[in-house]
């Protein structure tokens, strides 16, 4: 199971939100590239990047910060936030991203997800962010009636590389991930699932790994910045 350290970008800085609220952002670094280098030095094999401003604006906002990260490290990185058309997908992949994450458009324009997955095999993931099992879009500001599992199943034949499943009510709250819901989603589809939201200890990672579902990985942010998770120790624990 892969551990994806998260670098969430707001106004060019590395931040973490509390339950997705932009007004409850804690700044952890004003040098995203240096933060990326620190994660890689500790042994991470992937990075998870989010353009928070972009998620609300509907187009990339923190491109300069993302590009500084891509220039600073040589591990693959995936990015979500404000990627809502084919031109933006192509542009990011051309700039060295290993994978783009499509969230809002997965609900509003699912055919774009299918088109992108066909055009760029292995490089398109779907971000499913949910409150109480229902999908939220546009930076989590708009709730839909779409069930997370139904949305995931709708892409079974699309060729997407992964699903990043975030339980919004756990995100940044340091209360542990929703292991049951994440495992249930992973068991409901054949697409690899990455857990996100609430991972705050090595015990949480071990619980996800031992959930009985074939999870591809887990994303952690605040716990790594706060020191609640030692990245090196966590990576070692997941390899055992």
């Amino acid at each position: 199971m892969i551990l994806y350290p998260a670098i969430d970008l707001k106004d060019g800085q590395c931040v973490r939100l509390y339950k997705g609220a932009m007004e409850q952002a804690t700044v952890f670094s004003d040098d995203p590239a240096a933060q990326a280098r620190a994660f890689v030095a500790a042994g991470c094999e992937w990075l998870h990047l989010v353009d928070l401003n972009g998620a609300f604006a509907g187009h990339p906002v923190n491109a300069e910060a993302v590009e500084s990260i891509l220039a600073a490290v040589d591990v693959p990185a995936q990015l979500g936030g404000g990627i809502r058309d084919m031109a933006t997908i192509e542009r990011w992949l051309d700039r060295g991203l290993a994978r783009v994450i499509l969230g809002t458009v997965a609900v509003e324009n699912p055919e774009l997800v299918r088109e992108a997955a066909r055009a760029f095999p292995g490089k398109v993931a779907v971000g499913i962010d949910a409150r109480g099992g229902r999908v939220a879009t546009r930076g989590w500001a708009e709730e839909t009636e779409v069930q997370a599992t139904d949305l995931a199943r709708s892409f079974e034949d699309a060729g997407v590389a992964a699903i990043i499943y975030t339980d919004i009510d756990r995100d940044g709250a340091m209360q542990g991930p929703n292991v049951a819901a994440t495992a249930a989603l992973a068991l409901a589809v054949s697409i690899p699932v990455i857990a996100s939201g609430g991972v705050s200890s090595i015990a949480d990672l071990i619980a996800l790994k031992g959930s009985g579902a074939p999870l591809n990985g887990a994303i952690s942010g605040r716990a790594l910045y706060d020191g609640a998770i030692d990245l090196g120790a966590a990576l070692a624990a997941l390899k055992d």
Side-chain angles (χ1 to χ4, degrees):
M1 194 172 86
I2 299 167
L3 177 56
Y4 296 78
I7 299 179
D8 289 1
L9 299 165
K10 179 177 183 284
D11 305 330
Q13 299 175 308
C14 301
V15 308
R16 290 301 289 168
L17 306 185
Y18 178 73
K19 297 186 178 182
M22 286 286 271
E23 67 275 10
Q24 296 192 57
T26 302
V27 177
F28 285 99
S29 172
D30 59 6
D31 189 341
Q35 184 61 65
R37 284 193 294 267
F39 283 147
V40 172
C44 78
E45 298 173 354
W46 271 85
L47 289 172
H48 175 77
L49 314 178
V50 182
D51 181 347
L52 292 170
N53 301 101
F56 283 90
H59 57 81
V61 175
N62 286 285
E64 183 177 344
V66 173
E67 289 173 2
S68 74
I69 291 169
L70 296 177
V73 299
D74 58 4
V75 300
Q78 61 186 18
L79 170 70
I83 305 174
R84 297 181 191 168
D85 57 59
M86 188 63 83
T88 304
I89 293 168
E90 292 179 6
R91 187 160 62 249
W92 276 127
L93 294 176
D94 285 345
R95 292 181 183 181
L97 271 179
R99 195 152 67 197
V100 295
I101 303 167
L102 305 180
T104 294
V105 295
V107 176
E108 298 182 357
N109 186 8
E111 186 51 40
L112 175 65
V113 176
R114 297 174 180 279
E115 180 185 355
R118 287 193 299 267
F120 305 106
K123 295 189 174 184
V124 176
V126 170
I128 298 180
D129 309 322
R131 285 191 185 93
R134 289 193 298 276
V135 177
T137 61
R138 299 184 175 271
W140 303 349
E142 296 184 15
E143 293 193 20
T144 73
E145 294 303 313
V146 180
Q147 292 292 318
T149 301
D150 291 341
L151 184 61
R153 285 179 173 146
S154 73
F155 292 112
E156 277 278 32
D157 61 347
V160 300
I163 289 172
I164 292 90
Y165 174 70
T166 303
D167 186 309
I168 297 169
D169 287 330
R170 304 292 183 105
D171 192 69
M174 299 290 284
Q175 295 172 352
N178 191 333
V179 176
T182 305
L185 181 69
L187 291 169
V189 295
S190 60
I191 306 166
V193 172
I194 300 168
S196 176
V199 175
S200 54
S201 68
I202 291 177
D204 289 340
L205 293 168
I206 293 172
L208 287 165
K209 186 178 180 182
S211 68
L215 295 175
N216 166 272
I219 294 165
S220 184
R222 181 178 290 273
L224 295 174
Y225 296 105
D226 284 347
I229 294 179
D230 177 89
L231 181 53
L235 293 168
L238 290 176
K239 280 186 168 64
D240 290 341

